Amino acid sequence: MKQATKVADAAALIPDGATLLIGGFMGVGSPHRLIDALVERDAKDLTVVANDNAMPGRGIGKLVSAGCVSKTITSHIGLNPETQQKMIAGEMEVELVPQGTLVERIRAGGVGLGGVLTATGLGTTVAEGKQTIVVGGKTYLVEEPIHCDFALIGAHQADYLGNLEYSLTAHNFNPIMAMAADCVIAEPQTIVPVGVISPDAVKTPGILIDHLIERPQ
């Protein structure tokens, strides 16, 4: 059984300067209470790897607004004008990565692959400074794997062993990210007894989870 952790205590485990994988798609499936706790403790110099930066006042956007993020590796910043402004002003580094490439780089980091070969981005600024390789007469970019210090995962529910179930599209990058970090912190909406979650519904096994955030009060 895993001992549930208070959200403030979990946020305190994450030092300034840490690299974070954060699940969510425009905030759907993000660990919102953990994000709030990081803002509350005034975290600094974080590198956030995520599908997007959500929007001001929501999800990862709260970290951006609070000045917690010095760099983001992401696919989409179109709905967060604050990320755009900080990038233009040189206050925040933004590495834009095609969405499919991003999730494959994270998966590679999780399963121990040395990189990803993809034709996506050839002939564009995405390819600048990157190695290419020819396979079967076709040229591919070599994209390096991504592995971070922490993965912050939002889930629909967990059991007391840490097995996670996701709800519909809130699944998004979360299961892949849970494989690609030194420490995985899961924030479920509720915690249920072992056996309540069908084995077929478990998308992230508890063996991957280091800390389970206690249920909302």
Side-chain angles (χ1 to χ4, degrees):
M1 297 293 179
K2 292 188 185 293
Q3 182 67 40
T5 303
K6 294 182 181 297
V7 68
D9 292 340
L13 294 172
I14 302 171
D16 291 348
T19 57
L20 311 180
L21 290 155
I22 303 182
F25 193 107
M26 296 303 164
V28 176
S30 293
H32 295 287
R33 292 185 294 133
L34 188 48
I35 288 171
D36 288 345
L38 285 170
V39 172
E40 178 67 23
R41 82 154 189 82
D42 195 29
K44 297 295 183 186
D45 196 28
L46 300 176
T47 295
V48 172
V49 182
N51 175 75
D52 55 80
N53 278 192
M55 54 205 76
R58 180 169 174 78
I60 294 167
K62 291 183 178 181
L63 294 172
V64 174
S65 299
C68 301
V69 183
S70 61
K71 179 178 179 179
T72 184
I73 302 173
T74 186
S75 292
H76 181 54
I77 61 172
L79 292 182
N80 195 323
E82 291 185 355
T83 295
Q84 299 169 36
Q85 291 162 7
K86 288 175 179 286
M87 177 181 68
I88 292 169
E91 299 171 2
M92 181 172 154
E93 183 181 351
V94 176
E95 180 182 341
L96 292 172
V97 182
Q99 188 179 64
T101 301
L102 180 61
V103 72
E104 282 298 295
R105 289 178 64 189
I106 297 168
R107 188 181 70 85
V111 301
L113 298 180
V116 177
L117 302 184
T118 177
T120 303
L122 283 172
T124 74
T125 55
V126 170
E128 291 179 2
K130 294 180 181 176
Q131 179 184 353
T132 60
I133 189 170
V134 177
V135 179
K138 295 181 65 175
T139 301
Y140 296 91
L141 288 178
V142 179
E143 294 281 4
E144 296 184 355
I146 293 175
H147 192 280
C148 289
D149 300 323
F150 295 86
L152 312 185
I153 305 300
H156 171 56
Q157 60 183 3
D159 65 21
Y160 288 105
L161 293 176
N163 297 307
L164 303 183
E165 178 183 10
Y166 303 95
S167 178
L168 304 174
T169 58
H171 176 288
N172 51 68
F173 280 22
N174 280 298
I176 298 296
M177 288 180 167
M179 298 170 61
D182 294 333
C183 180
V184 181
I185 304 174
E187 180 189 300
Q189 295 176 17
T190 187
I191 302 175
V192 299
V194 176
V196 170
I197 303 175
S198 166
D200 289 340
V202 173
K203 300 301 181 184
T204 299
I207 191 67
L208 295 175
I209 305 304
D210 297 290
H211 299 279
L212 192 63
I213 301 298
E214 64 183 9
R215 72 187 73 191
Q217 301 300 314

